Amino acid sequence: MNDYTINVGQIEELQTISNVDALENIFTRAKSAIVNGAKVILARKERSGKLNKFDEMDTLEALEKYRQQVFKYL
């Protein structure tokens, strides 16, 4: 399975509008990727359209920790 990339800018937008369903969908896909042996990559998109990777996760524990941070104030 291919690595799954999460665009952190999109996560921030969804947090702003409190779109919990879309956030849950992203984390469900990320969990599926890890279970199938892929990595989850956190990246931020530049204005030029290039994605800059700044972190990656390969365990469910790390993903859950990030998920808790995202949902902390929702």
Side-chain angles (χ1 to χ4, degrees), residues 3 8 20 22-23 30 32 34 41 48 51 69 74:
D3 291 342
V8 177
V20 176
L23 288 168
S32 176
I34 289 176
I41 299 169
S48 66
L51 279 177
Q69 289 176 337
L74 294 179

Side-chain angles (χ1 to χ4, degrees), residues 2-3 15 21 23-24 31 44 49 56 59 63 66 68:
N2 294 334
D3 291 342
Q15 284 176 309
D21 291 336
L23 288 168
E24 288 288 358
K31 182 177 180 180
R44 186 171 296 279
E56 66 180 42
T59 66
L63 180 64
Y66 178 62
Q68 288 175 358

Side-chain angles (χ1 to χ4, degrees), residues 24-57:
E24 288 288 358
N25 188 13
I26 289 170
F27 282 101
T28 299
R29 289 181 185 174
K31 182 177 180 180
S32 176
I34 289 176
V35 167
N36 288 309
K39 294 180 182 176
V40 173
I41 299 169
L42 298 180
R44 186 171 296 279
K45 189 177 249 186
E46 292 181 355
R47 291 178 190 233
S48 66
K50 179 183 174 190
L51 279 177
N52 283 330
K53 170 186 157 185
F54 65 88
D55 198 7
E56 66 180 42
M57 297 171 269

Side-chain angles (χ1 to χ4, degrees), residues 7-17 23 44:
N7 179 352
V8 177
Q10 181 185 19
I11 294 289
E12 292 166 347
E13 287 177 27
L14 294 171
Q15 284 176 309
T16 301
I17 61 173
L23 288 168
R44 186 171 296 279

